[in-house]
Amino acid sequence: MTSIPHVTPGEPDPLRALDLERLRRRTSMKWRTYPEDVLPLWVAEMDVPLAGPVVRAVTDALALGDTGYPAGTAYAEALAAFAADRWNWYDVCVERTSIVPDVMLGVVEMLRLVTGPGDPVVVNSPVYPPFYQFITHMDRRVVEDPLGAGLRIDLASLEETFKEVTAGGGRAAYLLCSPHNPTGTVHTAGELAAVAGLAERYGVRVVADEIHAPLVDPGVAFVPYLSVPGAERGLSLMSASKGWNLAGLKAALALAGPGAADDLHRMPEEVGHGPSHLGVIAHTAALRDATGWLDAVLAGLRANRLLLRDLLADHLPGVRYDPAEATYLAWLDCRALGLGDDPARTFLDRGRVALSSGIAFGTGGAGHARLNLATSPEILTEGVRRMAAALR
């Protein structure tokens, strides 16, 4: 019999605060894409109330009528303090940061700085579907370098890919997902230093999407890409969006290594007009004042990963799932179930539970599904029950 684990004492677990009835009152994508009889465990929204300091900061701004355009460096300063405290990274230089509308639009702007139309952008598949969409839309060419054993970066393969995409002497970039979405893999300092070395050897510019950086399991070291030797020409995008459930309050930060400062300075001024002023206020408050809330979420996510492991072992033993070290996403290998390339379709049609189809994640995604476990243990349990019912 599967038991629902409880988090350690401290701030109450935000994942246990909202019931299904209240969640269904939300009007965001997660809750309005499917009919009400479908349990949504797909898109990256957390089933949590916002952190108190974030609510107060935004409410105070609204009360003041402080709804103009963003200004200043408070967001970057808050990130620098958070990075020093959480990751022992003391080298965030505020002068080498810039606010951007969100991480993916920031990725686009960084790639524009270091590549041109038709240039290749390497990604490690299976990977976050918007990587393909945004790269293609901006007239760059996606080149997949699939993850290797243990769903980790295959450095030997990556070197061959770098060699191939730069063989003609043209420009190329590598869009690194760190921690990796959908697998939750946390790249080690050694792996990232090796990536930086390869990038320098072959003249490939690295742009790191580090949006999930705050969501790393306690006891596991997150290593910012720009902190490793050889990454001086790298660019990074960071945000409080995923860690504090702020996707609807748009704001992110672009960071440049010392060797990429001139690149960042070439970014058009109008890009900085895209972030929401309220978003900047919310993200700043999250990083500066809501770390206790984040710790409670991290404890709840750890409990949910273990719960999901046990639920699948009890009800869907054919699904392979290894609890990840980061993110609130679970990458489920459903190939043994005999449901074809798109098991998420079967779970939706027969079980009325929505997961993300693995196909959209590129090579290595067929036969897989991504499940969002940032919800209550009760909803997670019901989701697995519905998945199992879909096979009967």
Side-chain angles (χ1 to χ4, degrees), residues 19-217:
D19 60 24
L20 190 56
E21 180 181 359
R22 184 171 176 187
L23 288 166
R24 289 204 180 278
R25 291 164 52 192
R26 292 184 169 182
T27 60
S28 62
M29 181 184 291
K30 180 176 183 179
W31 293 97
R32 293 303 171 96
T33 297
Y34 296 100
E36 282 204 5
D37 67 324
V38 172
L39 191 65
L41 297 177
W42 63 296
V43 74
E45 299 178 22
M46 290 199 284
D47 295 346
V48 293
L50 287 187
V54 173
V55 173
R56 289 190 292 274
V58 173
T59 302
D60 289 348
L62 290 173
L64 284 171
D66 188 10
T67 54
Y69 302 104
T73 59
Y75 189 178
E77 291 165 8
L79 176 63
F82 182 87
D85 181 61
R86 291 284 165 141
W87 309 321
N88 295 317
W89 185 31
Y90 299 92
D91 296 326
V92 175
C93 177
V94 172
E95 290 72 26
R96 291 200 305 272
T97 68
S98 180
I99 57 171
V100 291
D102 59 28
V103 163
M104 279 312 303
L105 290 177
V107 163
V108 167
E109 295 301 330
M110 298 304 101
L111 289 175
R112 286 192 202 280
L113 294 175
V114 298
T115 63
D119 285 341
V121 178
V122 178
V123 302
N124 297 124
S125 59
V127 74
Y128 183 48
F131 277 21
Y132 299 95
Q133 299 159 355
F134 279 80
I135 292 170
T136 302
H137 182 70
M138 65 183 295
D139 196 24
R140 269 57 169 177
R141 176 167 56 93
V142 176
V143 177
E144 292 185 318
D145 186 76
L147 295 172
L151 297 175
R152 307 199 73 87
I153 296 171
D154 184 333
L155 293 169
S157 174
L158 188 65
E159 179 168 16
E160 288 303 310
T161 299
F162 282 3
K163 187 184 302 183
E164 175 186 329
V165 297
T166 57
R171 293 187 293 181
Y174 172 45
L175 181 50
L176 171 70
C177 193
S178 180
H180 196 83
N181 174 5
T183 65
T185 303
V186 179
H187 309 304
T188 67
E191 288 170 332
L192 293 174
V195 164
L198 291 175
E200 283 300 296
R201 185 179 311 164
Y202 293 99
V204 175
R205 299 301 299 274
V206 178
V207 177
D209 171 356
E210 299 181 305
I211 195 171
H212 288 279
L215 291 167
V216 175
D217 208 34

